Amino acid sequence: MSDLFSLAGRTAVVTGARRGIGFGMALALANAGADIIGVSASQAPGSEIEAAVTAAGRSFEGFSCDFADPDAVDALGAALAERGIDILVNNAGTIERAPAAEHPLELWDRVIQVNLSSQFRLTQALARPMLTRGRGKVIFTASLLSFQGGINVPGYAAAKSGIAGLTKALANEWTAHGVTVNAIAPGYIATDNTEALRADPDRSKAILDRIPAGRWGAASDLAGATVFLASPASDYVSGVVLPVDGGWLGR
């Protein structure tokens, strides 16, 4: 049974791995036996995630990439495409808050580029060799806003809804060729992206009052779902957007 969740001998690319949710996902995969290639906007040698992965007994290699720059994403994809990647975790993202009527178009464009267009470009590059081999796992980080509209984050809501649709579209094409495509939709997790919400007493209380678990999530709460979707245990699971939200969507 333990082999179902073993990632021994696998190599995983995790974007946005330097902190927050990506850090938790990368460490979970390493603890399950995978070697990690961590990608972030800045990824200096000796990072905290590198130390954590190596302490888990796995190898770590870091890459820096500006996901707002399509050329940089294409260069990253080309550099990694020949590396025998088994697992791709598309987690890098950004958020911009402003009311829709006044939302600057440059912020809209940046969020769509980072959270949706770059995700597709990198996935396309790394999935091609997976399809040739007939084996691979692609995991996107979706959001509760893949199901809901949110407030003052129109670009983020649009991009994360797009991620849900992209997950299903790619699963429809690739599952028969041995490459499963799924997404994890984190709930309200205590990260930099939710700092403004947690600092607002009214919003924080309203959020906590709706979460059946009664607390903000931690990055470590995503570990089980990440390992499951990356492992042989999920070989018959594809096209799924899996909420990890403390019960929020069931309320």
Side-chain angles (χ1 to χ4, degrees):
M1 177 65 72
S2 62
D3 288 346
L4 275 177
F5 299 94
S6 173
L7 301 179
R10 300 288 192 260
T11 298
V13 171
V14 181
T15 69
R18 189 170 62 87
R19 60 188 182 183
I21 288 172
F23 187 110
M25 288 173 151
L27 183 56
L29 296 175
N31 284 331
D35 294 319
I36 304 299
I37 297 175
V39 185
S40 295
S42 59
Q43 186 65 255
S47 65
E48 186 178 353
I49 184 57
E50 179 177 1
V53 168
T54 54
R58 309 315 309 166
S59 70
F60 180 88
E61 186 175 3
F63 284 80
S64 296
C65 182
D66 179 2
F67 285 91
D69 180 353
D71 292 337
V73 175
D74 290 346
L76 174 68
L80 296 178
E82 303 304 320
R83 302 289 291 271
I85 304 303
D86 302 291
I87 302 156
L88 170 61
V89 179
N90 281 298
N91 170 73
T94 190
I95 191 166
E96 299 287 355
R97 301 181 186 278
E102 294 86 34
H103 202 88
L105 291 180
E106 61 269 21
L107 298 186
W108 167 276
D109 290 342
R110 183 174 187 276
V111 169
I112 296 297
Q113 179 62 49
V114 172
N115 290 11
L116 184 58
S117 297
S118 287
Q119 310 267 341
F120 177 68
R121 297 174 89 107
L122 183 60
T123 301
Q124 188 180 54
L126 298 192
R128 288 180 182 126
M130 291 180 181
L131 293 165
T132 299
R133 293 195 309 270
R135 187 189 73 196
K137 301 280 186 174
V138 176
I139 304 168
F140 290 97
T141 297
S143 168
L144 291 183
L145 300 196
S146 299
F147 305 95
Q148 302 172 332
I151 300 171
N152 294 333
V153 287
Y156 187 84
K160 291 302 186 178
S161 295
I163 287 294
L166 181 60
T167 296
K168 297 169 187 177
L170 298 182
N172 287 343
E173 293 191 37
W174 296 350
T175 305
H177 304 286
V179 178
T180 62
V181 186
N182 294 288
I184 297 172
Y188 285 93
I189 309 296
T191 66
D192 291 350
N193 274 1
T194 59
E195 185 175 0
L197 296 177
R198 288 181 286 119
D200 182 328
D202 293 334
R203 288 296 305 281
S204 182
K205 182 179 185 305
I207 289 167
L208 285 173
D209 285 348
R210 179 173 165 168
I211 300 173
R215 64 174 176 85
W216 288 80
S220 58
D221 288 318
L222 301 168
T226 303
V227 172
F228 168 63
L229 292 178
S231 73
S234 64
D235 281 350
Y236 201 61
V237 177
S238 199
V240 166
V241 182
L242 173 62
V244 181
D245 64 356
W248 173 279
L249 288 174
R251 191 61 176 260

